[in-house]
Amino acid sequence: MPAVTEHYSLGEPVEIGKIDKALKKLWADGEGAMTRASLINLAVYSETPDSIERNTQLVAKIAENHACRAIVIGANRRASEDRAEAWVSAHCHISRAGSKQICSEQISFLLEGPCIKLLPSIVFSHLDSDLPFYLWWQDEFPEPMDPQLWSWVDRLIYDSQTWKNFDAQMRLVETAQQEAKQRIVLCDLNWTRLDKVRYAIAQFFDHASSHHHFSEIKNGRFDFAPGYRSTALLLAGWLGAQLGWHPEKSKKSDTIRFSNSTGRTVDLELHEKGDDPVGKIVFDSKDVQFVVAPAECGDLLQVWRSGKNEKPQPQMMPAQSNDPVALMSQELTRGGPHSVYLHAVACVRELL
């Protein structure tokens, strides 16, 4: 049988010039027992030591629900000498019918030294033709960006939570998008991390009779875990952008100040507290308080509203997983340009 990454092996080592031949042999050896499936090209790039093994595990789990040709790249720009190695393997799982293994192929590259400049050529020459190309970039973007790299990318996936300088990194991403003539869709896993929380907040205002609260919100409070301040800021940016609030200067470092459509000041306090990327969220309106908080069970959100003549009636909603496989799976099921994300970023960009 060909190399199957049940134990997350990198598979068979192969010369870079013979990768296509090795893939053909892999499928020929598994003919009758294995069926190749691929809906997208997914390239994963990292400069973290030993990232190839870790990302192979992630891809194996992602491929269970998102068939793809995976290209996993581990890079070391600091190496003085060139080194280029490659492996081919397959991630397989039993089909629902139980007769055949459905497999996604993976090509892994270790690139060190000056040969990293060949990254675009190496990636593009091994894409599965006519399929969309998703690039998951796990490090900060280098400057200058290689324009050739972005010419084929359909969706660029990154996690701004790890960025040290959001504005500088975002400018590089926007430059790449411009060089690709706006064809690249920007996909921030830090935004995906807010999906369930945003749904929980939005459901309070589903009915038109609750829309009067938009102009009556006086203040709010967001709890966030250490290292996730940017996640809370993106949530504040989403709220401000959706409600037409304008950011104002605040004298307090832990407070974001907006002015709403009526000119009234709205202060949102940010508190580093707890282990959830975004924890308890509270909004105070004229007569009602809205609360979204992690439930004790850990995988649900508890939501309620209360007021002078209204008793809390807590309800449960799904909570967001912070697992990278879950975040990527959510992102890979999406389409569209993420315009709401871009509006949220624009609203609080100077604070990120």
Side-chain angles (χ1 to χ4, degrees):
M1 289 291 292
V4 177
T5 56
E6 294 178 355
H7 301 289
Y8 307 121
S9 165
L10 293 182
E12 295 292 332
V14 60
E15 294 180 25
I16 291 179
K18 297 181 179 180
I19 287 176
D20 288 340
K21 182 178 179 180
L23 288 174
K24 290 178 181 179
K25 183 178 184 300
L26 185 150
W27 298 117
D29 291 348
E31 188 174 2
M34 300 167 59
T35 298
R36 174 180 175 273
S38 183
L39 297 176
I40 61 171
N41 293 290
L42 175 61
V44 185
Y45 177 90
S46 176
E47 297 181 12
T48 303
D50 302 321
S51 63
I52 297 181
E53 291 79 5
R54 174 177 57 84
N55 283 327
T56 293
Q57 296 181 35
L58 295 179
V59 168
K61 295 175 182 178
I62 291 170
E64 292 179 7
N65 295 304
H66 302 277
C68 62
R69 169 175 282 192
I71 302 175
V72 176
I73 304 136
N76 180 3
R77 295 178 182 272
R78 298 180 179 179
S80 57
E81 297 183 1
D82 281 336
R83 179 186 177 190
E85 298 182 24
W87 299 262
V88 295
S89 59
H91 300 290
C92 300
H93 61 279
I94 302 299
S95 66
R96 293 182 180 179
S99 57
K100 285 189 175 183
Q101 295 187 82
I102 307 300
C103 301
S104 295
E105 58 196 9
Q106 175 177 317
I107 309 170
S108 305
F109 294 98
L110 175 61
L111 304 176
E112 295 185 349
C115 70
I116 291 179
K117 65 184 179 181
L118 300 176
L119 177 64
S121 298
I122 290 174
V123 171
F124 298 152
S125 62
H126 295 98
L127 294 179
D128 205 343
S129 61
D130 300 325
L131 294 179
F133 176 27
Y134 291 52
L135 174 58
W136 182 9
W137 195 277
Q138 296 181 340
D139 293 274
E140 295 208 351
F141 294 99
E143 188 175 6
M145 304 273 273
D146 187 342
Q148 184 185 1
L149 181 62
W150 313 112
S151 59
W152 290 71
V153 177
D154 293 290
R155 300 181 81 84
L156 177 60
I157 303 172
Y158 52 90
D159 190 347
S160 66
Q161 183 266 331
T162 63
W163 289 353
K164 296 178 181 178
N165 187 329
F166 184 95
D167 186 62
Q169 287 290 294
M170 198 65 188
R171 289 184 186 280
L172 290 173
V173 169
E174 290 168 342
T175 298
Q177 190 181 44
Q178 292 168 4
E179 291 175 344
K181 298 180 180 179
Q182 304 297 325
R183 73 186 301 270
I184 298 178
V185 175
L186 306 182
C187 308
D188 188 351
L189 296 182
N190 207 22
W191 177 251
T192 309
R193 201 172 273 119
L194 292 170
D195 277 3
K196 300 298 191 297
V197 169
R198 292 190 296 116
Y199 296 152
I201 294 173
Q203 59 85 33
F204 285 125
F205 310 102
D206 279 345
H207 199 279
S209 63
S210 64
H211 290 183
H212 66 92
H213 289 290
F214 292 154
S215 61
E216 296 176 354
I217 294 176
K218 298 183 295 183
N219 54 63
R221 187 183 76 244
F222 300 165
D223 292 344
F224 64 92
Y228 287 91
R229 180 180 174 84
S230 64
T231 314
L233 284 171
L234 277 178
L235 181 61
W238 166 72
L239 193 70
Q242 295 302 100
L243 297 182
W245 294 352
H246 300 283
E248 304 285 349
K249 290 185 178 181
S250 174
K251 295 181 180 180
K252 298 180 180 179
S253 60
D254 62 350
T255 300
I256 304 173
R257 173 162 290 183
F258 293 97
S259 59
N260 66 14
S261 57
T262 66
R264 180 182 298 171
T265 296
V266 181
D267 285 339
L268 302 181
E269 297 180 4
L270 304 184
H271 296 282
E272 188 175 297
K273 181 180 179 181
D275 299 322
D276 296 288
V278 175
K280 188 175 182 179
I281 300 167
V282 179
F283 294 108
D284 290 313
S285 181
K286 183 178 179 181
D287 299 312
V288 178
Q289 184 177 77
F290 303 92
V291 181
V292 176
E296 292 184 0
C297 60
D299 59 352
L300 291 171
L301 292 174
Q302 196 170 26
V303 301
W304 70 89
R305 51 177 285 173
S306 60
K308 184 177 180 180
N309 299 313
E310 183 177 358
K311 293 183 178 180
Q313 295 182 336
Q315 298 179 347
M316 296 296 185
M317 294 186 68
Q320 177 66 54
S321 171
N322 198 33
D323 176 72
V325 174
L327 293 173
M328 278 296 294
S329 294
Q330 283 177 236
E331 192 55 54
L332 293 177
T333 59
R334 291 178 165 186
H338 285 333
S339 56
V340 176
Y341 162 70
L342 297 177
H343 292 321
V345 169
C347 187
V348 291
R349 182 159 181 165
E350 293 183 359
L351 302 173
L352 285 162

